[in-house]
Amino acid sequence: MKKSKKVLVLLIVVLFIISMVPVALAEEGGKININTAPVEELVKLDRIGSKYAERIVQYREANGPFVKVEDIVMVKGIGPKTLDVNKNVMTVE
C-alpha cells in the first residue's frame, strides 16, 4: 500500500512539472508587444520605469500603433540606448 502511494505522489509531481513546461517556455521566448502591453508589462523592459511606460501608452493612444520597434524612440525620453538594450525583447506584432 505504501508503494502505491509513493507512485501516486510521484505521478502527480511529474504531471505538475510537465504542465508547467509550456508556461516556462512562453515566458522565456515571449516578447513584450509595445503596441498592446499595459504599463505593468512595459516596466519590465530595461531602463523603462512607470513614467516612461505611461508615456509609451499615451504616445500610442495619441499617434496609433508603432510600425516598427525602432519607432519607440519617438516617445519623449526614450533614446537609442534604451532601444538597443530592449530591441530583442520588444515586438510590434
Side-chain angles (χ1 to χ4, degrees):
M1 191 72 155
K2 286 186 178 187
K3 187 174 183 179
S4 63
K5 284 185 180 181
K6 288 181 181 180
V7 170
L8 180 61
V9 169
L10 181 61
L11 180 61
I12 291 171
V13 170
V14 169
L15 289 173
F16 176 76
I17 292 171
I18 290 172
S19 70
M20 295 307 293
V21 168
V23 173
L25 290 176
E27 288 178 358
E28 235 176 70
K31 292 188 174 189
I32 295 176
N33 186 329
I34 59 174
N35 283 329
T36 60
V39 170
E40 297 80 19
E41 192 172 352
L42 291 168
V43 295
K44 294 177 183 176
L45 295 168
D46 287 338
R47 302 174 63 118
I48 300 290
S50 60
K51 179 179 168 183
Y52 290 118
E54 289 173 15
R55 285 185 186 174
I56 292 169
V57 171
Q58 290 170 352
Y59 180 90
R60 68 179 188 224
E61 286 174 353
N63 300 291
F66 297 98
V67 176
K68 56 187 186 244
V69 170
E70 291 79 6
D71 292 343
I72 199 166
V73 297
M74 292 189 284
V75 176
K76 183 179 179 184
I78 298 178
K81 289 182 183 178
T82 302
L83 171 64
D84 287 341
V85 297
N86 291 300
K87 198 173 201 176
N88 294 328
V89 295
M90 295 187 302
T91 186
V92 293
E93 298 174 355

